[in-house]
Amino acid sequence: AIAEAGAIPPLVELLISGTAEAKDQAAAALRNLACNEDNRVAISEAGAIPPLVELLTSGTTGAKEQAAGALRNFAWNNDNQVAIAEAGAIPPLVELLTSGTAGAKEKA
């Protein structure tokens, strides 16, 4: 219902231009929405993957965890797996696995 109401594009916009807290919350919302296959496609088509990858390196600790979790959920879709890799997510995800918080390591 949230995605059908048009919430995905504004959430993606918050990932790009929101405050640090807004980026964290937007990533968390997208992570939750990405539990649904149709939403995974819609979120990817809305351009969420590049700003989520950016959050992996430039976000707050919480935003990094949320971005990793969102990307994990997106990766259940094969096309998204390719898009995530092409957006450069692998090196920052590996960095989170080696030096991130316990939560970031779990989500990465």
Side-chain angles (χ1 to χ4, degrees), residues 1-107:
I2 294 170
E4 292 170 2
I8 292 173
L11 287 169
V12 173
E13 186 57 36
L14 282 174
L15 289 177
I16 297 166
S17 61
T19 64
E21 179 64 21
K23 290 177 180 182
D24 184 346
Q25 295 300 317
L30 291 170
R31 183 198 73 214
N32 290 333
L33 288 170
C35 290
N36 173 284
E37 175 61 29
D38 292 336
N39 289 345
R40 287 181 204 126
V41 173
I43 292 166
S44 177
E45 288 175 351
I49 292 173
L52 284 168
V53 172
E54 177 68 24
L55 278 182
L56 292 175
T57 57
S58 67
T60 64
T61 300
K64 288 177 182 179
E65 288 183 24
Q66 298 299 344
L71 291 168
R72 177 193 61 208
N73 287 349
F74 296 163
W76 285 100
N77 175 285
N78 290 337
D79 292 335
N80 287 349
Q81 291 174 10
V82 173
I84 290 166
E86 288 177 348
I90 305 304
L93 286 170
V94 171
E95 178 65 26
L96 284 177
L97 283 172
T98 59
S99 64
T101 64
K105 288 178 181 178
E106 178 184 332
K107 290 173 178 72

